Amino acid sequence: MKSRSIILGILWAFLYLFLVLTPLFVMLATPSQAGREVWRDLSVSLGFIGLAMMALQFVLTARFKWLKAPYGSDLVYHFHRQISFVALILILSHPLLLFIFSPQTLALLNIFSAPWRARFAVVAVLSLMALVVFSIWRKKLKIDYYSWRIWHGILSVLAVGAALVHVEMAGYYVSTPFKRALWIVYTVFWVGLLLYTRLIKPWWLTKHPYRVVDVNEERGNSWTLTLEPFGHKGFKFHPGQFCWINLGSSPFSEKEHPFSISSSAVKPGRISFTIKELGDFTRTIRHTKVGESVYVDGPYGAFTTDRHDHAREFIFVAGGVGITPVMSILRTMADCGETRKLVLFYANRDWESITFREELEELKGRLNLQLIHVLERPHDNWDGKSGYLNREMLEEIIPPELSINQVEVFLCGPPPMMRAVNRIVRDLEIWPGDFHYERFDLV
Ligand SMILES: Cc1cc2nc3c(=O)[nH]c(=O)nc-3n(C[C@H](O)[C@H](O)[C@H](O)COP(=O)(O)OP(=O)(O)OC[C@H]3O[C@@H](n4cnc5c(N)ncnc54)[C@H](O)[C@@H]3O)c2cc1C
């Protein structure tokens, strides 16, 4: 499973490179007009690569399971974020080179007198810059998540749409039938993607609703929502995966939230999500009524033990509500009679706030599970681990001089804990391919 996923991962990476560089190859393959300066061709090439990258951003965020499977959603979103800086630099280099080598082109910035091709270029570049600024400083600018998502959608369509119109109007590099066909294919593909993500997928979700069958309070200010498919069979999932949940609004709206499935994958006809009360949406979960409709888009993610059949042992490190994907894994393993060694480090504020505390004790009886609680604020007489999870605690458990593929480590918890454990894992020289994490803060 692991090698298949690595091969697929390499294949997608090459396909991505190929698609990004195709416009450049096509441009280079056709001879340039006599007397045309090299810097001008270079400037246009950089713009083309940047534009292809921007158009492909829509593929990265379109939630194609086959694309995300080898990497996991987290890595794909991370790549989406990082590559947007590269695309911005490439796209900005296009006009900057023109301005440097041919200063009279600066006049094209005057949108009142400039031709339409230049106006579209200005709209594309400004939209792209706004996209990047709002995404980096969303929290500092106090833009709430829903508004950001709506604007992110509008600005990205504007950036790519205006850039494509600019290419078409500039004309020179789409002058031959082959080059023209290439940009038509890119444009049709991009518009098709938009239709799929904005219309077809949400419409499909409305035809495959779920119903709430139980709402149960858990320790640690959390609520478990249990759902059943309504009028369809639902989906199979790997334990540890997550879904996008739309509760109380239409799938056409942006009001969806990601949550890990916490129930056993052996019973896919009844799925549960355990949700901690943290903000505007999650505080409404307690008021959910049995019978309410929910739209569930999933499953997604690569945070699952199913991809690591070869492992001798699994070590889970969870903090607070980060236990949810691990709980799904443990419940599934117990239902399947798993016998391999399992260790769970579970960090919480105090004894009373440990979500699933009693069930985890029961699971020790059904699994070869060593459960290590770490409490930030332990009560008197607590003889377990206390404070923050640290290197010494992990070193006690992780065998020294680990060889590759023996022990798989899974981490999910609040951001400071994720950062700390990430550092420890690096210090302990665990092979990156044996270390897996799920971040609950995508943006
Ligand atoms: C892969 C994944 C799995 C998750 N699994 C769980 C889980 O099992 N249980 C659980 O309690 N929480 C889980 N979360 C976190 C959960 O999605 C957020 O806590 C929740 O969306 C916050 O919404 P809010 O309106 O209550 O909070 P707010 O206070 O409004 O938002 C807090 C922050 O949460 C993020 N956020 C808000 N809305 C969204 C959204 N629609 N989509 C993505 N991020 C958003 C933003 O960064 C925002 O700044 C998971 C997150 C991810 C990415």
Side-chain angles (χ1 to χ4, degrees), residues 254-310:
E254 294 284 346
K255 301 199 168 179
E256 50 177 3
H257 291 255
F259 295 106
S260 298
I261 302 170
S262 57
S263 52
S264 167
V266 171
K267 301 155 190 161
R270 202 178 157 95
I271 48 172
S272 299
F273 298 91
T274 303
I275 298 171
K276 191 175 175 81
E277 295 187 332
L278 281 174
D280 295 346
F281 172 73
T282 46
R283 276 192 211 110
T284 65
I285 296 295
R286 60 165 66 224
H287 306 298
T288 310
K289 300 270 177 298
V290 168
E292 261 187 68
S293 284
V294 185
Y295 301 101
V296 181
D297 180 13
Y300 295 105
F303 188 77
T304 175
T305 45
D306 278 4
R307 295 158 60 106
H308 309 284
D309 299 338
H310 54 270

Side-chain angles (χ1 to χ4, degrees), residues 138-139 145 242 244 256-260 274-276 278-282 321 324 438-440 442-443:
R138 174 181 76 83
K139 285 182 184 160
Y145 184 82
F242 74 95
W244 289 87
E256 50 177 3
H257 291 255
F259 295 106
S260 298
T274 303
I275 298 171
K276 191 175 175 81
L278 281 174
D280 295 346
F281 172 73
T282 46
V321 77
T324 51
E438 186 79 289
R439 271 188 307 195
F440 276 8
L442 282 181
V443 253

Side-chain angles (χ1 to χ4, degrees), residues 39-40 42-47 85-101 125:
W39 58 262
R40 197 180 288 275
L42 174 70
S43 142
V44 175
S45 313
L46 295 176
F85 296 115
V86 181
L88 177 66
I89 291 169
L90 291 172
I91 287 174
L92 284 179
S93 322
H94 167 49
L96 284 179
L97 279 171
L98 288 182
F99 299 153
I100 292 168
F101 289 101
V125 171

Side-chain angles (χ1 to χ4, degrees), residues 137 209 238 262 346 367:
W137 289 294
H238 294 290
S262 57
Y346 190 12
L367 290 164

Side-chain angles (χ1 to χ4, degrees), residues 67-81:
L67 172 74
K68 294 192 168 186
Y71 313 102
S73 298
D74 208 74
L75 209 68
V76 174
Y77 279 111
H78 188 68
F79 180 74
H80 165 70
R81 262 195 305 270

